[in-house]
């Protein structure tokens, strides 16, 4: 009975800090710039991928990346977030793809945008999935793209960062990325507990 009481007390400490991120890029200080801790890597020059108020899915600003023949690649990396648990992690963002000149939804094979994650600060990357003309129909409204990293994939107390890899195929268009959200369940598994710091009282226990 005392053991049962102690067990439930242990469980009461199993819900603790987890990764929770909500970035809408609306800070006016990052207009025509990028948020602190984020990085970009343009194939042509450094003014094609940044936060602007041209279009947004919510609020006033969004990350945009202009791709065309002379600038066929773009990369956006998030900060390296600390403190993963072993529970499932959900990540999502809103996506809008418009032709650069017409400012209308693209109706051609624009290219590809892939979301990847890394648990070693960018040393290696794992793909979560891609959006291209075969599985994404561009409209005048933003569409939510979401992925889940299953329970048990991430390490307790680890790190995670994300990367958007963007590739041009034809045309001249802009990827608008907004409302980037990461949510991980706060309920830790037994493996998330630091067993070295657990103490039972009384010890030894009795029924």
């Amino acid at each position: 009975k005392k053991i049962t009481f102690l067990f439930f007390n242990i469980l009461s400490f199993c819900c603790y800090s987890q990764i929770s991120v909500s970035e809408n890029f609306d800070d006016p200080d990052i207009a025509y710039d990028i948020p602190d801790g984020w990085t970009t890597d343009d194939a042509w020059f450094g003014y094609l991928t940044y936060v602007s108020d041209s279009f947004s899915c919510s609020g006033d600003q969004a990350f945009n990346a202009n791709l065309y023949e002379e600038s066929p690649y773009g990369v956006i990396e998030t900060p390296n977030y600390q403190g993963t648990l072993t529970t499932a992690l959900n990540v999502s963002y809103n996506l809008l793809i418009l032709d650069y000149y017409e400012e209308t939804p693209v109706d051609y094979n624009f290219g590809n945008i892939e979301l990847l994650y890394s648990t070693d600060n960018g040393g290696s990357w794992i793909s979560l999935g891609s959006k291209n003309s075969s599985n994404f129909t561009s409209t005048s409204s933003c569409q939510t793209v979401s992925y889940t990293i299953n329970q048990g994939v991430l390490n307790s107390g680890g790190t995670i960062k994300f990367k958007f890899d963007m590739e041009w195929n034809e045309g001249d268009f802009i990827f608008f990325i907004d409302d980037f959200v990461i949510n991980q369940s706060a309920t830790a598994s037994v493996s998330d507990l630091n067993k070295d710091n657990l103490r039972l009282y009384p010890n030894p226990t009795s029924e």
Side-chain angles (χ1 to χ4, degrees):
K1 299 170 180 63
K2 289 182 179 178
I3 294 175
T4 302
F5 175 77
L6 288 166
F7 178 72
F8 281 105
N9 271 278
I10 291 171
L11 287 183
S12 70
F13 289 102
C14 290
C15 299
Y16 57 95
S17 178
Q18 84 280 10
I19 293 177
S20 180
V21 175
S22 181
E23 176 60 77
N24 60 14
F25 308 109
D26 278 346
D27 183 350
D29 291 337
I30 61 173
Y32 300 96
D33 202 343
I34 61 176
D36 289 342
W38 293 62
T39 60
T40 64
D41 180 20
D42 291 307
W44 184 236
F45 58 92
Y47 300 99
L48 299 177
T49 305
Y50 54 86
V51 173
S52 81
D53 58 2
S54 300
F55 288 90
S56 67
C57 299
S58 65
D60 300 316
Q61 299 178 158
F63 228 124
N64 58 246
N66 180 204
L67 270 62
Y68 51 95
E69 187 171 9
E70 288 78 19
S71 180
Y73 302 104
V75 173
I76 300 172
E77 289 188 18
T78 73
N80 193 38
Y81 302 110
Q82 308 283 331
T84 57
L85 302 179
T86 62
T87 52
L89 182 145
N90 299 308
V91 57
S92 65
Y93 66 96
N94 281 329
L95 177 63
L96 178 68
I97 310 174
L98 300 180
D99 183 85
Y100 179 82
Y101 293 103
E102 301 296 330
E103 296 187 354
T104 56
V106 294
D107 57 0
Y108 45 81
N109 183 9
F110 55 88
N112 189 69
I113 178 169
E114 181 179 17
L115 185 62
L116 307 95
Y117 73 93
S118 172
T119 57
D120 56 5
N121 198 21
S124 58
W125 295 95
I126 299 171
S127 177
L128 287 170
S130 301
K131 292 299 178 183
N132 50 56
S133 61
S134 70
N135 61 13
F136 185 88
T137 301
S138 180
T139 69
S140 58
S141 299
C142 297
Q143 301 176 55
T144 300
V145 180
S146 59
Y147 301 101
T148 297
I149 300 174
N150 292 330
Q151 180 173 339
V153 173
L154 301 177
N155 294 322
S156 176
T159 66
I160 191 167
K161 72 184 303 182
F162 294 87
K163 176 173 70 168
F164 293 92
D165 262 352
M166 298 164 283
E167 184 174 7
W168 171 89
N169 185 71
E170 66 174 290
D172 188 340
F173 60 89
I174 301 178
F175 288 122
F176 292 96
I177 298 169
D178 205 357
D179 304 315
F180 180 78
V181 175
I182 305 171
N183 278 316
Q184 187 171 34
S185 171
T187 303
S189 66
V190 173
S191 62
D192 290 315
L193 296 173
N194 186 342
K195 300 178 182 64
D196 292 336
N197 293 329
L198 287 180
R199 296 291 185 270
L200 295 180
Y201 182 83
N203 189 7
T205 59
S206 62
E207 294 184 359

